[in-house]
Tab-separated table of all heavy atoms in Angstrom:
chain	number	residue	atom	x	y	z
Y	810	GLY	N	214.569	146.853	19.013
Y	810	GLY	CA	214.376	146.334	20.350
Y	810	GLY	C	213.456	147.142	21.237
Y	810	GLY	O	213.895	147.658	22.280
Y	811	SER	N	212.200	147.262	20.870
Y	811	SER	CA	211.228	147.809	21.801
Y	811	SER	C	211.051	146.823	22.946
Y	811	SER	O	211.270	145.618	22.788
Y	811	SER	CB	209.902	148.098	21.106
Y	811	SER	OG	209.357	146.920	20.540
Y	812	ARG	N	210.621	147.317	24.104
Y	812	ARG	CA	210.631	146.518	25.323
Y	812	ARG	C	209.291	146.534	26.024
Y	812	ARG	O	208.527	147.498	25.942
Y	812	ARG	CB	211.711	147.039	26.272
Y	812	ARG	CG	213.123	146.877	25.742
Y	812	ARG	CD	214.080	147.807	26.454
Y	812	ARG	NE	215.474	147.543	26.124
Y	812	ARG	CZ	216.085	147.989	25.037
Y	812	ARG	NH1	215.427	148.716	24.133
Y	812	ARG	NH2	217.367	147.711	24.833
Y	813	TYR	N	209.031	145.452	26.720
Y	813	TYR	CA	207.852	145.328	27.548
Y	813	TYR	C	208.254	144.725	28.892
Y	813	TYR	O	209.114	143.837	28.953
Y	813	TYR	CB	206.791	144.431	26.888
Y	813	TYR	CG	205.706	144.001	27.853
Y	813	TYR	CD1	204.625	144.830	28.125
Y	813	TYR	CD2	205.787	142.777	28.513
Y	813	TYR	CE1	203.655	144.451	29.025
Y	813	TYR	CE2	204.815	142.393	29.412
Y	813	TYR	CZ	203.747	143.236	29.669
Y	813	TYR	OH	202.786	142.857	30.564
Y	814	TYR	N	207.606	145.203	29.964
Y	814	TYR	CA	207.834	144.662	31.298
Y	814	TYR	C	206.501	144.399	31.981
Y	814	TYR	O	205.584	145.225	31.919
Y	814	TYR	CB	208.639	145.630	32.167
Y	814	TYR	CG	210.007	145.948	31.632
Y	814	TYR	CD1	210.225	147.078	30.845
Y	814	TYR	CD2	211.087	145.122	31.917
Y	814	TYR	CE1	211.480	147.366	30.355
Y	814	TYR	CE2	212.348	145.411	31.433
Y	814	TYR	CZ	212.539	146.530	30.654
Y	814	TYR	OH	213.799	146.820	30.175
Y	815	ASP	N	206.420	143.265	32.639
Y	815	ASP	CA	205.279	143.030	33.496
Y	815	ASP	C	205.299	144.025	34.650
Y	815	ASP	O	206.375	144.450	35.107
Y	815	ASP	CB	205.307	141.597	34.037
Y	815	ASP	CG	204.080	141.264	34.847
Y	815	ASP	OD1	203.027	140.988	34.242
Y	815	ASP	OD2	204.171	141.273	36.095
Y	816	GLU	N	204.121	144.406	35.122
Y	816	GLU	CA	204.047	145.400	36.182
Y	816	GLU	C	204.789	144.973	37.442
Y	816	GLU	O	205.285	145.825	38.182
Y	816	GLU	CB	202.593	145.715	36.512
Y	816	GLU	CG	201.860	146.505	35.435
Y	816	GLU	CD	202.436	147.894	35.256
Y	816	GLU	OE1	202.896	148.496	36.254
Y	816	GLU	OE2	202.424	148.398	34.119
Y	817	SER	N	204.877	143.682	37.677
Y	817	SER	CA	205.523	143.198	38.887
Y	817	SER	C	207.024	143.453	38.911
Y	817	SER	O	207.634	143.429	39.982
Y	817	SER	CB	205.251	141.704	39.068
Y	817	SER	OG	205.845	140.949	38.027
Y	818	VAL	N	207.627	143.687	37.745
Y	818	VAL	CA	209.072	143.887	37.676
Y	818	VAL	C	209.453	145.245	37.114
Y	818	VAL	O	210.645	145.589	37.093
Y	818	VAL	CB	209.759	142.784	36.851
Y	818	VAL	CG1	209.399	141.410	37.396
Y	818	VAL	CG2	209.378	142.885	35.379
Y	819	LYS	N	208.496	146.012	36.679
Y	819	LYS	CA	208.783	147.308	36.071
Y	819	LYS	C	209.513	148.207	37.070
Y	819	LYS	O	209.113	148.336	38.221
Y	819	LYS	CB	207.493	147.961	35.596
Y	819	LYS	CG	207.700	149.212	34.754
Y	819	LYS	CD	206.373	149.740	34.216
Y	819	LYS	CE	205.725	148.747	33.271
Y	819	LYS	NZ	204.460	149.274	32.686
Y	820	GLY	N	210.582	148.815	36.600
Y	820	GLY	CA	211.397	149.657	37.449
Y	820	GLY	C	212.501	148.923	38.168
Y	820	GLY	O	213.413	149.567	38.711
Y	821	ARG	N	212.443	147.596	38.203
Y	821	ARG	CA	213.473	146.792	38.854
Y	821	ARG	C	214.288	145.968	37.865
Y	821	ARG	O	215.483	145.765	38.065
Y	821	ARG	CB	212.848	145.851	39.887
Y	821	ARG	CG	212.095	146.569	40.990
Y	821	ARG	CD	211.660	145.600	42.087
Y	821	ARG	NE	210.729	144.588	41.591
Y	821	ARG	CZ	210.968	143.276	41.616
Y	821	ARG	NH1	212.104	142.813	42.121
Y	821	ARG	NH2	210.058	142.428	41.160
Y	822	PHE	N	213.645	145.470	36.828
Y	822	PHE	CA	214.306	144.629	35.833
Y	822	PHE	C	214.516	145.426	34.551
Y	822	PHE	O	213.701	146.283	34.189
Y	822	PHE	CB	213.467	143.396	35.503
Y	822	PHE	CG	213.344	142.380	36.608
Y	822	PHE	CD1	213.776	142.646	37.900
Y	822	PHE	CD2	212.785	141.141	36.339
Y	822	PHE	CE1	213.659	141.715	38.914
Y	822	PHE	CE2	212.661	140.194	37.337
Y	822	PHE	CZ	213.093	140.471	38.623
Y	823	THR	N	215.594	145.112	33.847
Y	823	THR	CA	215.892	145.740	32.574
Y	823	THR	C	216.299	144.672	31.572
Y	823	THR	O	217.210	143.886	31.839
Y	823	THR	CB	217.014	146.781	32.696
Y	823	THR	OG1	216.653	147.777	33.655
Y	823	THR	CG2	217.264	147.450	31.352
Y	824	ILE	N	215.641	144.653	30.432
Y	824	ILE	CA	216.000	143.724	29.369
Y	824	ILE	C	216.818	144.469	28.325
Y	824	ILE	O	216.546	145.630	28.011
Y	824	ILE	CB	214.747	143.065	28.749
Y	824	ILE	CG1	215.134	141.902	27.830
Y	824	ILE	CG2	213.889	144.085	27.998
Y	824	ILE	CD1	213.939	141.048	27.404
Y	825	SER	N	217.828	143.811	27.810
Y	825	SER	CA	218.681	144.394	26.791
Y	825	SER	C	219.231	143.279	25.915
Y	825	SER	O	219.055	142.096	26.221
Y	825	SER	CB	219.825	145.202	27.417
Y	825	SER	OG	220.666	144.371	28.195
Y	826	LYS	N	219.896	143.655	24.836
Y	826	LYS	CA	220.466	142.638	23.970
Y	826	LYS	C	221.694	143.151	23.253
Y	826	LYS	O	221.892	144.357	23.087
Y	826	LYS	CB	219.433	142.129	22.955
Y	826	LYS	CG	218.955	143.165	21.947
Y	826	LYS	CD	218.000	142.526	20.940
Y	826	LYS	CE	217.499	143.526	19.917
Y	826	LYS	NZ	216.635	142.867	18.900
Y	827	ASP	N	222.513	142.215	22.844
Y	827	ASP	CA	223.681	142.468	22.026
Y	827	ASP	C	223.498	141.636	20.767
Y	827	ASP	O	223.681	140.418	20.787
Y	827	ASP	CB	224.957	142.085	22.768
Y	827	ASP	CG	226.221	142.461	22.014
Y	827	ASP	OD1	226.221	142.418	20.771
Y	827	ASP	OD2	227.221	142.794	22.677
Y	828	ASN	N	223.116	142.276	19.691
Y	828	ASN	CA	222.817	141.544	18.465
Y	828	ASN	C	224.038	140.798	17.932
Y	828	ASN	O	223.915	139.679	17.424
Y	828	ASN	CB	222.281	142.491	17.392
Y	828	ASN	CG	220.876	142.970	17.674
Y	828	ASN	OD1	220.233	142.539	18.638
Y	828	ASN	ND2	220.381	143.875	16.837
Y	829	ALA	N	225.211	141.409	18.040
Y	829	ALA	CA	226.417	140.771	17.545
Y	829	ALA	C	226.740	139.506	18.319
Y	829	ALA	O	227.200	138.516	17.746
Y	829	ALA	CB	227.590	141.742	17.598
Y	830	LYS	N	226.509	139.528	19.627
Y	830	LYS	CA	226.757	138.356	20.459
Y	830	LYS	C	225.576	137.401	20.495
Y	830	LYS	O	225.671	136.335	21.113
Y	830	LYS	CB	227.103	138.778	21.884
Y	830	LYS	CG	228.410	139.541	22.003
Y	830	LYS	CD	228.707	139.887	23.454
Y	830	LYS	CE	230.026	140.612	23.593
Y	830	LYS	NZ	230.315	140.979	25.003
Y	831	LYS	N	224.478	137.787	19.873
Y	831	LYS	CA	223.268	136.973	19.848
Y	831	LYS	C	222.816	136.613	21.263
Y	831	LYS	O	222.367	135.491	21.523
Y	831	LYS	CB	223.480	135.702	19.017
Y	831	LYS	CG	223.818	135.967	17.559
Y	831	LYS	CD	223.983	134.659	16.796
Y	831	LYS	CE	224.353	134.905	15.339
Y	831	LYS	NZ	223.259	135.566	14.591
Y	832	THR	N	222.913	137.577	22.153
Y	832	THR	CA	222.615	137.349	23.559
Y	832	THR	C	221.664	138.412	24.079
Y	832	THR	O	221.816	139.596	23.767
Y	832	THR	CB	223.901	137.352	24.393
Y	832	THR	OG1	224.772	136.316	23.929
Y	832	THR	CG2	223.596	137.116	25.862
Y	833	VAL	N	220.700	137.973	24.867
Y	833	VAL	CA	219.747	138.852	25.528
Y	833	VAL	C	219.972	138.760	27.028
Y	833	VAL	O	220.198	137.666	27.562
Y	833	VAL	CB	218.301	138.486	25.160
Y	833	VAL	CG1	217.310	139.361	25.921
Y	833	VAL	CG2	218.082	138.633	23.664
Y	834	TYR	N	219.884	139.894	27.700
Y	834	TYR	CA	220.154	139.965	29.125
Y	834	TYR	C	218.914	140.411	29.883
Y	834	TYR	O	218.080	141.153	29.367
Y	834	TYR	CB	221.284	140.948	29.418
Y	834	TYR	CG	222.546	140.668	28.646
Y	834	TYR	CD1	222.812	141.336	27.456
Y	834	TYR	CD2	223.461	139.730	29.102
Y	834	TYR	CE1	223.963	141.080	26.734
Y	834	TYR	CE2	224.620	139.466	28.391
Y	834	TYR	CZ	224.865	140.144	27.213
Y	834	TYR	OH	226.013	139.889	26.503
Y	835	LEU	N	218.818	139.963	31.115
Y	835	LEU	CA	217.802	140.449	32.028
Y	835	LEU	C	218.499	140.853	33.315
Y	835	LEU	O	218.900	139.993	34.107
Y	835	LEU	CB	216.729	139.394	32.303
Y	835	LEU	CG	215.556	139.870	33.157
Y	835	LEU	CD1	214.719	140.901	32.401
Y	835	LEU	CD2	214.680	138.697	33.593
Y	836	GLN	N	218.670	142.154	33.493
Y	836	GLN	CA	219.258	142.678	34.715
Y	836	GLN	C	218.162	142.790	35.761
Y	836	GLN	O	217.174	143.493	35.552
Y	836	GLN	CB	219.892	144.045	34.466
Y	836	GLN	CG	220.495	144.697	35.701
Y	836	GLN	CD	221.707	143.959	36.213
Y	836	GLN	OE1	222.585	143.597	35.435
Y	836	GLN	NE2	221.759	143.728	37.522
Y	837	MET	N	218.328	142.110	36.869
Y	837	MET	CA	217.337	142.069	37.922
Y	837	MET	C	217.911	142.746	39.161
Y	837	MET	O	218.867	142.252	39.760
Y	837	MET	CB	216.930	140.630	38.238
Y	837	MET	CG	216.456	139.847	37.030
Y	837	MET	SD	215.827	138.204	37.460
Y	837	MET	CE	217.333	137.464	38.108
Y	838	ASN	N	217.329	143.866	39.530
Y	838	ASN	CA	217.753	144.617	40.703
Y	838	ASN	C	216.662	144.602	41.763
Y	838	ASN	O	215.488	144.388	41.460
Y	838	ASN	CB	218.077	146.065	40.324
Y	838	ASN	CG	219.249	146.188	39.387
Y	838	ASN	OD1	220.170	145.379	39.415
Y	838	ASN	ND2	219.224	147.229	38.550
Y	839	ASN	N	217.069	144.851	42.991
Y	839	ASN	CA	216.132	144.901	44.112
Y	839	ASN	C	215.228	143.674	44.131
Y	839	ASN	O	213.999	143.778	44.171
Y	839	ASN	CB	215.307	146.184	44.048
Y	839	ASN	CG	214.504	146.432	45.309
Y	839	ASN	OD1	214.849	145.937	46.384
Y	839	ASN	ND2	213.420	147.183	45.188
């Protein structure tokens, strides 16, 4: 799970995943 962020959201958004749950998350702050 290497990650990429657009500059407009870098530092505010975080992408993560749970392979067992087959779910990807996008935590959006600020």
Side-chain angles (χ1 to χ4, degrees):
S811 59
R812 295 160 171 82
Y813 166 83
Y814 299 95
D815 185 79
E816 289 295 326
S817 65
V818 305
K819 189 175 296 183
R821 300 188 297 119
F822 291 10
T823 302
I824 191 169
S825 62
K826 65 177 180 177
D827 186 326
N828 288 355
K830 295 182 178 179
K831 299 181 181 294
T832 300
V833 177
Y834 306 96
L835 185 68
Q836 178 68 46
M837 306 186 296
N838 296 329
N839 191 24

